Amino acid sequence: METDHSDKLVILGSGNLAWHLGPALQNAGFTILQVCSRTENSARLLGERLGVEWITDPAGIDEEAGTLVFCISDNAIPDLMCRIELRTRPVLIHTAGSVSLDVFNGIAKESGVLYPLMTFTKDRTLHLQNVPFCIEGSSEYSLALVERMARGISEKIYQINSEERKILHLGGIIASNFSNHMYHLAADFLSARGMDFEILKPLIMETASKIMEMEPAASQTGPASRNDTDVIQDHADLLKDLPELQKIYTFVTDSITNHFNS
Ligand SMILES: NC(=O)c1ccc[n+]([C@@H]2O[C@H](COP(=O)([O-])OP(=O)(O)OC[C@H]3O[C@@H](n4cnc5c(N)ncnc54)[C@H](OP(=O)(O)O)[C@@H]3O)[C@@H](O)[C@H]2O)c1
């Protein structure tokens, strides 16, 4: 009878997600055999964090590995996947929001997706038990494996397909990545005028916490939702030397105005 090695993992990549997912998988009872990542320094740092061997050449991946967990840039998955040649044909799992499970077609015998809907940054402390994990498997076997991984980490598991995951990912980008970019723009705008972004933090906190109890549409305030056209024009004039920011201001203002005044 064939031995099931699926609990013996190799983590591919050593970026923001791998930094958090690696320890979480260890805590969930999985054995991480190695970290394999492109750059020596980041591979070593993650290897040391997990207390496991680290390598930079996929040719050195342990034949004992039953599962390879891709935590690398989405674009790089197909190329790296084709450079891995293991007799044992491990389960291939990726962690991306907008990459279809089909990426493994023709390469993997078994494959799956373990996508945490969260923003991960190295050196941030993050508790993963409430992080939604979206899972998908190419078979009952691989689905059971990703489900076991996810359940060992979080209480919120969603079995969804690649199309649904892409939609969720896009929603997350609009809500989270775009908001963060707005913080970045506001911080630069204030600091160029000798003012500190710190003063905006209570406002940002209340804006985020309000939508835990109210619909986002009901939470909206500001000149665009009130259609205060004089203030809007004044702001656009203030931004005349910052054409990119002026364009964003006008575009977002028009979007809010259209929603509230149509
Ligand atoms: N961070 C998040 O918030 C988050 C959330 C959910 C899912 N994910 C998913 O997690 C995966 C990793 O994202 P991340 O945020 O951890 O990215 P990241 O911090 O930018 O790290 C990317 C990793 O991929 C490696 N890499 C990049 N290009 C490569 C290539 N051509 N060949 C081999 N390795 C390459 C990098 O190697 P180097 O160390 O050499 O640069 C690095 O180890 C992605 O699929 C992403 O969609 C991320």
Side-chain angles (χ1 to χ4, degrees):
M1 201 180 100
E2 256 184 62
T3 318
D4 185 352
H5 287 212
S6 62
D7 283 18
K8 293 185 178 171
L9 319 180
V10 171
I11 303 280
L12 303 171
S14 53
N16 289 310
L17 179 66
W19 191 257
H20 289 272
L21 194 59
L25 286 167
Q26 283 181 324
N27 288 337
F30 289 83
T31 302
I32 297 180
L33 298 177
Q34 293 168 317
V35 168
C36 174
S37 192
R38 185 177 59 174
T39 305
E40 196 170 311
N41 189 43
S42 58
R44 180 177 51 76
L45 285 174
L46 183 60
E48 286 173 359
R49 175 171 166 82
L50 300 173
V52 303
E53 183 189 8
W54 54 272
I55 56 172
T56 53
D57 183 354
I61 292 177
D62 193 331
E63 286 279 349
E64 280 289 295
T67 303
L68 307 185
V69 185
F70 286 72
C71 300
I72 65 170
S73 309
D74 300 1
N75 289 341
I77 296 173
D79 176 56
L80 179 58
M81 185 175 81
C82 294
R83 289 196 288 128
I84 297 171
E85 289 175 17
L86 292 176
R87 279 182 294 107
T88 47
R89 301 200 67 196
V91 184
L92 303 185
I93 291 175
H94 79 66
T95 52
S98 286
V99 177
S100 170
L101 178 62
D102 293 352
V103 71
F104 295 129
N105 279 0
I107 301 279
K109 192 170 66 175
E110 295 284 349
S111 57
V113 179
L114 181 69
Y115 168 61
L117 214 175
M118 180 46 64
T119 170
F120 293 92
T121 300
K122 272 185 192 178
D123 297 329
R124 288 272 312 157
T125 302
L126 203 53
H127 301 290
L128 302 191
Q129 68 267 25
N130 287 320
V131 170
F133 272 75
C134 303
I135 58 167
E136 190 178 2
S138 63
S139 68
E140 275 182 29
Y141 173 81
S142 49
L143 182 62
L145 172 64
V146 283
E147 182 166 358
R148 216 154 32 82
M149 289 173 151
R151 288 208 186 281
I153 300 173
S154 171
E155 290 162 11
K156 295 191 173 163
I157 317 298
Y158 300 85
Q159 188 194 332
I160 57 171
N161 65 32
S162 293
E163 281 309 307
E164 292 165 328
R165 179 161 32 80
K166 199 182 292 184
I167 299 292
L168 275 176
H169 184 215
L170 179 51
I173 287 167
I174 294 168
S176 167
N177 296 163
F178 285 10
S179 300
N180 193 72
H181 186 58
M182 295 293 171
Y183 306 154
H184 184 179
L185 293 174
D188 285 355
F189 178 70
L190 291 194
S191 86
R193 283 148 193 82
M195 279 178 256
D196 196 342
F197 181 64
E198 192 65 31
I199 198 167
L200 294 189
K201 288 184 179 172
L203 169 67
I204 291 169
M205 287 300 289
E206 172 59 8
T207 308
S209 64
K210 245 198 310 190
I211 53 104
M212 301 300 153
E213 288 154 33
M214 300 167 69
E215 290 295 317
S219 302
Q220 190 73 52
T221 60
S225 66
R226 294 188 297 267
N227 205 19
D228 279 338
T229 49
D230 290 350
V231 176
I232 292 167
Q233 187 55 54
D234 202 24
H235 288 169
D237 291 345
L238 254 176
L239 295 171
K240 67 177 184 314
D241 295 329
L242 298 167
E244 191 189 324
L245 191 54
Q246 188 190 53
K247 199 163 138 191
I248 292 169
Y249 179 90
T250 305
F251 191 78
V252 177
T253 293
D254 287 350
S255 173
I256 299 172
T257 307
N258 290 340
H259 273 84
F260 283 86
N261 302 296
S262 58

